[in-house]
Amino acid sequence: MDTIQGLIDSALKNKQEERSNREGSHKISPSGFGGCFRKQYWSRKGEAPSNPPDERTLRVFQAGNLFEDFVSDLIPNHQKQVLIETEDIKGYADVVTEDSVIDLKSVHSRQFFHTKKESYDVNVEKRHNILQVMTYVYLLGKTWGKLVFISKDDLCIDEYGFHIDKWIMEVQKEIGLNRNNWLYPNPPPAEPRLFISKKEPRRECSY
């Protein structure tokens, strides 16, 4: 007799395989911005990940999607999951309003404890998320980008706003480096750019 856990894991694994078998656009994906350039290069090439998510990680992703979908359902359809595409860039913005782009991120409630510390700097800790949403702001000609963090424990919300003037140079630099890397037949070196600490200087490489 099948267990509920087994049914869930099987369904999520099938969904993951369907995504993996889709033909990629071979365009730059802003969702990878701020991370290792080699990873971004292989992602654009459409190479299959060497270490795909395990069953628990797939469940974590799905739980996050459920919470993000709940919030997204409160927003008019014409404002959400907006395709942003240029000749060599393609992505989807969670929410687009008259003057801003909003990115919804589900997180564990522990992050809310972490963000209350005086040492916490969202511009450093979430630079990769900011680069993604500000790229959409830049391409759409908007003024503001916003990160909305949703606690998966109790639906508490943390919101942070960012003005395009402070991020436009960072966005242009990230796009430019991606374009330059694409011109060469060999991928750029594997250099972690996320989650770096003295204890785990290459933590990004474990993903």
Side-chain angles (χ1 to χ4, degrees), residues 16 33 43 68 72 76 97 118:
Q16 178 70 11
F33 279 6
S43 177
E68 291 167 22
S72 180
T97 67
E118 288 187 11

Side-chain angles (χ1 to χ4, degrees), residues 192-204:
R193 303 169 67 211
L194 294 176
F195 320 123
I196 296 173
S197 66
K198 291 182 179 180
K199 186 177 180 180
E200 297 180 283
R202 299 187 68 82
R203 181 183 170 196
E204 183 184 1

Side-chain angles (χ1 to χ4, degrees), residues 13 34 47 54 110 120 135 150 181:
K13 184 177 180 181
E47 291 289 330
D54 59 19
R110 281 193 302 251
Y120 183 81
T135 297
I150 308 162
N181 290 335

Side-chain angles (χ1 to χ4, degrees), residues 3 33 39 42 63 81 89 95 120 123 140-141 157 175 179:
T3 64
F33 279 6
K39 180 180 178 182
W42 284 128
Q81 284 300 301
I89 301 173
V95 182
Y120 183 81
N123 295 282
L140 293 175
I157 299 288
I175 293 174
R179 286 171 172 164

Side-chain angles (χ1 to χ4, degrees), residues 25-107:
S25 66
H26 298 292
K27 294 187 175 185
I28 297 169
S29 174
S31 63
F33 279 6
C36 173
F37 283 116
R38 172 172 284 191
K39 180 180 178 182
Q40 294 187 59
Y41 180 92
W42 284 128
S43 177
R44 185 175 179 183
K45 281 281 189 180
E47 291 289 330
S50 58
N51 54 338
D54 59 19
E55 292 175 341
R56 181 186 180 281
T57 303
L58 290 176
R59 294 197 298 271
V60 171
F61 289 163
Q62 180 63 17
N65 290 336
L66 293 173
F67 278 86
E68 291 167 22
D69 288 345
F70 173 79
V71 176
S72 180
D73 285 344
L74 305 176
I75 298 165
N77 287 333
H78 71 279
Q79 291 183 326
K80 59 189 180 185
Q81 284 300 301
V82 178
L83 172 65
I84 292 96
E85 187 169 17
T86 68
E87 183 178 349
D88 63 349
I89 301 173
K90 182 178 180 180
Y92 290 86
D94 287 343
V95 182
V96 177
T97 67
E98 184 176 346
D99 68 343
S100 63
V101 179
I102 301 169
D103 197 14
L104 305 175
K105 299 289 185 186
S106 58
V107 296

Side-chain angles (χ1 to χ4, degrees), residues 103 105 126-134 147 149:
D103 197 14
K105 299 289 185 186
K126 299 300 179 181
R127 180 175 179 274
H128 54 302
N129 297 142
I130 299 171
L131 279 173
Q132 178 185 0
V133 72
M134 296 312 291
L147 292 182
F149 295 105

